[in-house]
Amino acid sequence: MKNRIVDDPEFQKLLAQIIEEQIPFCRLLGMKAHSLAPDSPALTLTMKPELLGNFAQGMLHGGVIASVLDSVAGVAILLKLAQQQPKDDVFSQLREFGLMSTIDLRIDYLKPGKGQLFTANAEVTRLGKRVANVLMTLRNEQNELVATGAAAFMLHGRN
């Protein structure tokens, strides 16, 4: 049986490299690819002083929370596309990343963003021809739910 592209070590390595090194904003925030499993992708973020919103209380900035949730949603869609509609090669599959954009993002801030390590997870709830919908969560290292999110992404150039 042919190895699925989503499980291809080269695909996984290059996708992690894109997230961690090639997307400048993700690199600036320090996002890391924790899991690139298509049904349970996860990005992590380690607290650093530059990410504080409320410096007096040591809380993660709300914009950082929104950014990591938006990012994990995009990763989830890319992985779902690779799983359900694989391309012929790794590079064609990775190009799909450039063919999507956020059209709606809702974040519910549930608890102060306190902690040292945050994990963002996402689940694609609908993958249509032109729009994908995703639900996301952000938890700290104590497994406290810090925020949830819902996003819609436009999938450009798809038939």
Side-chain angles (χ1 to χ4, degrees), residues 1 6-7 9 29 38 53 57 59 73 85 112 114 119-120 125 128 138:
M1 181 178 156
V6 75
D7 299 321
L29 295 179
Q57 297 204 19
M59 295 186 304
Q85 300 164 13
K114 291 186 176 184
T119 303
T125 56
L138 182 72

Side-chain angles (χ1 to χ4, degrees), residues 30-94:
M31 288 185 214
K32 300 292 180 193
H34 180 71
S35 169
L36 295 177
D39 294 323
S40 59
L43 299 180
T44 59
L45 186 69
T46 301
M47 178 61 91
K48 56 185 180 179
E50 298 84 359
L51 302 181
L52 292 173
N54 183 325
F55 63 89
Q57 297 204 19
M59 295 186 304
L60 197 59
H61 191 286
V64 173
I65 292 170
S67 295
V68 72
L69 289 177
D70 183 49
S71 296
V72 76
V75 170
I77 294 166
L78 182 69
L79 290 166
K80 192 58 76 174
L81 286 168
Q83 181 185 48
Q84 293 183 2
Q85 300 164 13
K87 299 290 183 192
D88 292 332
D89 63 271
V90 168
F91 295 102
S92 295
Q93 196 72 57
L94 290 169

Side-chain angles (χ1 to χ4, degrees), residues 129-140:
K129 285 189 173 200
R130 302 235 188 264
V131 176
N133 300 92
V134 186
L135 296 175
M136 306 86 71
T137 61
L138 182 72
R139 295 178 181 274
N140 64 15

Side-chain angles (χ1 to χ4, degrees), residues 18-30:
I18 288 169
I19 296 162
E20 296 174 6
E21 300 170 21
Q22 294 181 345
I23 300 174
F25 194 61
C26 291
R27 185 178 68 235
L28 177 73
L29 295 179

